[in-house]
Amino acid sequence: MKGDYMMFDLKYHKKYFAGSRVELCTKVQQSVGEKRYRHILGVEKAAIELAGKNAVDVEKASIAALVHDYAKERSAEEFKKVIDRKHLDPDLLKWNNFIWHGVVGAEIIEDELKISDPEILNAVRRHTVGSVKMTQLDKVIYVADFVEEGRVFPDVDFARTIAFKNLDQAVAFETKHTLQYLLSANKTIYPTAIETYNRWVVAVN
Ligand SMILES: [Fe+2]
Ligand SMILES: [Fe+2]
């Protein structure tokens, strides 16, 4: 596993993170299990490719991808404490890890990794449920998370094909796919995910 990221080193300009890419990888690796770390590296690889195709800052895409699931394995207690301490919307307390690891995770990333670039933090906040106002960087991370090479689901080849052809269509496809899954499994839908659907699925198709 170690060799995988040592072989590749994107040069960081230390504007958004105070260390090198390998140093960031090490911190991320310490925060999550092995399987998730492999997913994260897959997301970074896809994000760098998508960034190149869509005129997005490759360094920001790399950093946002590497940290997007940084807080995924934190406890409910930790997320609730951060919501209180940072005076985030108290409605968040009613939700779960699926929502917290992005929206609240961004605060943990800022505190622990000292990454404060608002575009990078917003891409983390928006990577699970999207947003009405997704930037190109937000879309790159949202889509890379869905199509990275380790993902296995029936439509994944189709999703990958669209991802590298048309980023907005990929956002629409992924949003619809996720909502369909949540509906069929009788799971709750975070209101922002519905707003994302109205903006990116209804408007694009
Ligand atoms: Fe995630
Ligand atoms: Fe992820």
Side-chain angles (χ1 to χ4, degrees):
M1 191 75 251
K2 231 176 196 154
D4 281 7
Y5 70 76
M6 295 300 288
M7 268 155 51
F8 158 83
D9 193 22
L10 179 68
K11 195 148 180 46
Y12 283 179
H13 297 91
K14 316 233 165 138
K15 225 168 110 190
Y16 312 120
F17 173 67
S20 68
R21 176 183 169 277
V22 171
E23 282 163 345
L24 182 57
C25 283
T26 304
K27 287 193 183 288
V28 171
Q29 193 172 22
Q30 286 162 355
S31 183
V32 297
E34 201 186 318
K35 198 171 160 223
R36 178 152 290 112
Y37 182 60
R38 226 175 299 134
H39 158 70
I40 287 170
L41 290 180
V43 175
E44 189 211 18
K45 190 174 165 200
I48 288 173
E49 271 185 72
L50 290 170
K53 277 185 180 291
N54 292 280
V56 168
D57 183 326
V58 170
E59 184 173 345
K60 281 195 183 191
S62 164
I63 295 173
L66 288 175
V67 301
H68 85 282
D69 277 343
Y70 177 80
K72 180 78 182 170
E73 294 172 21
R74 303 301 169 95
S75 67
E77 289 65 40
E78 180 171 351
F79 283 121
K80 287 177 178 174
K81 270 189 205 152
V82 176
I83 294 167
D84 278 345
R85 199 178 64 234
K86 299 262 177 162
H87 308 290
L88 304 184
D89 183 350
D91 176 71
L92 278 168
L93 292 167
K94 295 190 290 203
W95 293 86
N96 50 40
N97 180 284
F98 186 68
I99 302 304
W100 291 333
H101 83 280
V103 179
V104 188
E107 306 291 328
I108 297 174
I109 290 160
E110 185 168 15
D111 288 350
E112 295 184 7
L113 303 177
K114 311 291 173 215
I115 291 170
S116 55
D117 181 79
E119 288 182 14
I120 293 174
L121 295 179
N122 277 339
V124 173
R125 289 186 181 104
R126 295 169 178 165
H127 87 266
T128 318
V129 293
S131 161
V132 170
K133 357 169 240 207
M134 283 172 103
T135 64
Q136 291 297 92
L137 176 66
D138 296 341
K139 293 176 199 168
V140 161
I141 302 303
Y142 186 81
V143 171
D145 191 23
F146 191 61
V147 303
E148 63 97 357
E149 61 193 12
R151 290 279 194 208
V152 183
F153 58 89
D155 293 329
V156 75
D157 288 336
F158 181 67
R160 282 187 189 123
T161 306
I162 329 177
F164 290 97
K165 254 191 197 161
N166 184 317
L167 195 60
D168 280 4
Q169 273 178 24
V171 168
F173 181 79
E174 174 183 343
T175 302
K176 192 169 170 180
H177 189 277
T178 306
L179 245 64
Q180 275 168 337
Y181 159 73
L182 293 170
L183 286 167
S184 67
N186 293 330
K187 295 202 181 238
T188 48
I189 299 174
Y190 195 62
T192 308
I194 298 171
E195 290 171 15
T196 303
Y197 169 84
N198 287 337
R199 167 65 182 89
W200 296 103
V201 182
V202 179
V204 168
N205 291 320

